[in-house]
């Protein structure tokens, strides 16, 4: 199913549509997603973790930045501009004329990934408080039914934030993210420090490498909140499953300050994203290293997305366990935190496990034709 955009769109929703996750609603939802694609509209569909409802919307226009109520999409690199698919068109929105989304040219080989890891380890030395997240991409030929894949991910990953979106600026993406970046609701901010990766079912203690990664992420998020005048409260750390793997998770919460507004939220998000879990630490060092060593553009991978109604009512999730889709091919992304203790073979295996979260659903949908 090709994702293409032009100026001849004739169909758009007037605000988000809600579907319940049951068989009677599923076909209607798939029809809406396919209709948006066929009409070459920007669209979004998402299901929050543990929820029974799916939200969908489409638009002929998009807005720059975060401020207009709608579905927000922020790329990985902090210098890139976020866009919003609005609930309803406003004077702040515009119809984008140029298609400028990029698609990876080829898959990352093991040799290329191993070389990147070695260069990162040489750069970091023996400093235990530094890390750089090295990502890789797998480009695969095949026609993907975005609507059917989205429904399958909703069924198979009930505890994930399942999403699909497309705009001319970002291209089409789909995923099932385990990681909350920041949520604001009922006077509270919620986030999490999520780091470390291993197969599910292991009862042993986490190893030193993964424990250090988690400590870096937890400390960074706490520092970001405090530097923005917000006092964090750290919950109990536990092992959190995500498909066939699990991560170390520390929930973090805080009261929303009375003077918290859109400008303060944007400032906090700029500090938080990308987190050390998807970028590294220190951030400037990690971003510079990634731009020099990686052979692909991450695009929206490692950025964030989610619904925004106001500075105290939003839910943003990190764009992980994801793929970008073109007419006859797709590209899956995954990465791992590289420290002085990293092993090239183990890091490659970790990214393979992460790609399986989405890979099974996409592989199945290569055989699906439009219903």
């Amino acid at each position: 199913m090709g994702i293409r955009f032009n100026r001849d769109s004739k169909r758009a929703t007037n605000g988000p549509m809600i579907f319940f996750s049951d068989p009677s609603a599923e076909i209607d939802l798939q029809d809406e997603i396919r209709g948006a694609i066929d009409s070459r509209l920007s669209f979004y569909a998402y299901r929050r973790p543990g929820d029974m409802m799916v939200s969908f919307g489409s638009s002929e226009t998009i807005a720059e930045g975060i401020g207009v109520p709608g579905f927000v999409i922020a790329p990985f690199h902090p210098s890139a501009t976020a866009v919003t698919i609005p609930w309803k068109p406003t004077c702040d929105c515009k119809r984008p004329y140029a298609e400028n989304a990029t698609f990876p040219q080829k898959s990352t080989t093991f040799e290329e990934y191993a070389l990147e890891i070695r260069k990162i380890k040489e750069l970091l030395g023996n400093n235990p408080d530094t890390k750089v997240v090295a990502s890789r991409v797998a480009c695969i030929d095949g026609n993907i039914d975005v609507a059917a894949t989205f429904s399958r991910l909703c069924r198979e990953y009930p505890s994930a934030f399942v999403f699909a979106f497309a705009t001319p600026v970002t291209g089409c993406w789909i995923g099932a993210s385990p990681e909350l970046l920041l949520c604001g609701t009922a006077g509270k901010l919620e986030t999490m420090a999520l780091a470390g990766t291993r197969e599910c079912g292991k009862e042993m203690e986490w190893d030193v490498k993964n424990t250090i990664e988690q400590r870096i992420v937890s400390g960074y998020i706490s520092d970001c909140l405090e530097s923005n005048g917000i006092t964090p409260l750290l919950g109990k750390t536990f092992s959190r499953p995500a498909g066939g793997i699990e991560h170390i998770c520390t929930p973090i919460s805080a009261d929303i300050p009375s003077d918290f507004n859109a400008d303060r939220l944007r400032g906090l998000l700029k500090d938080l994203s990308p987190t050390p879990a998807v970028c590294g630490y220190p951030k400037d060092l990690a971003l510079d290293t990634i731009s020099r060593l990686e052979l692909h553009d991450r695009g929206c991978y490692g950025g964030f997305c989610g619904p925004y109604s106001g500075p105290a009512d939003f839910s943003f999730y990190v764009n992980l366990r994801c793929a970008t889709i073109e007419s006859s091919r797709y590209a899956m992304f995954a990465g791992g935190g590289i420290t002085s203790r990293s092993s090239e073979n183990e890091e490659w295996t970790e990214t393979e496990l992460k790609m399986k979260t989405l890979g099974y659903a996409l592989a199945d949908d290569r055989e699906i034709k439009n219903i």
Side-chain angles (χ1 to χ4, degrees), residues 110-305:
F110 174 78
E111 291 75 17
E112 289 168 341
Y113 198 57
L115 178 60
E116 181 180 355
I117 291 172
R118 289 196 296 271
K119 288 182 177 179
I120 291 173
K121 290 175 67 175
E122 181 179 348
L123 174 68
L124 299 181
N126 294 319
N127 188 337
D129 294 322
T130 58
K131 63 176 278 192
V132 174
V133 175
S135 75
R136 52 174 284 239
V137 61
C139 299
I140 302 167
D141 293 332
N143 295 310
I144 300 301
D145 188 326
V146 177
T149 304
F150 178 84
S151 294
R152 179 174 288 108
L153 290 173
C154 285
R155 292 193 300 270
E156 294 186 359
Y157 300 105
S159 62
F161 178 74
V162 178
F163 62 90
F165 62 78
T167 76
V169 175
T170 62
C172 180
W173 290 75
I174 192 167
S177 174
E179 183 172 353
L180 173 68
L181 177 68
L182 190 67
C183 170
T185 183
K188 293 283 187 180
L189 292 174
E190 295 181 1
T191 182
M192 64 172 62
L194 193 73
T197 302
R198 69 184 184 187
E199 289 188 79
C200 278
K202 296 184 179 295
E203 298 181 357
M204 65 189 72
E205 294 292 324
W206 285 85
D207 60 27
V208 174
K209 175 193 178 289
N210 286 296
T211 302
I212 291 175
E213 282 193 64
Q214 169 66 7
R215 175 171 56 81
I216 290 173
V217 177
S218 180
Y220 179 83
I221 293 175
S222 297
D223 290 344
C224 283
L225 291 170
E226 290 175 352
S227 65
N228 281 271
I230 300 169
T231 303
L233 176 64
L234 275 66
K236 184 178 179 181
T237 298
F238 63 99
S239 296
R240 186 172 188 266
I245 58 179
E246 61 184 4
H247 309 285
I248 310 173
C249 180
T250 303
I252 302 173
S253 62
D255 293 328
I256 297 179
S258 58
D259 59 347
F260 197 69
N261 56 25
D263 285 338
R264 288 192 65 181
L265 173 60
R266 285 189 285 266
L268 176 56
L269 291 169
K270 184 177 180 180
D271 289 344
L272 279 176
S273 181
T275 71
V278 294
C279 176
Y281 183 84
K283 181 187 286 189
D284 290 343
L285 171 67
L287 285 170
D288 178 68
T289 303
I290 289 167
S291 66
R292 288 189 296 104
L293 297 182
E294 285 194 353
L295 303 178
H296 57 271
D297 184 349
R298 293 192 181 189
C300 293
Y301 165 69
F304 63 88
C305 62

Side-chain angles (χ1 to χ4, degrees), residues 58-69:
S58 59
S59 175
E60 295 181 340
T61 60
I62 60 174
E64 290 186 356
I66 302 172
V68 173

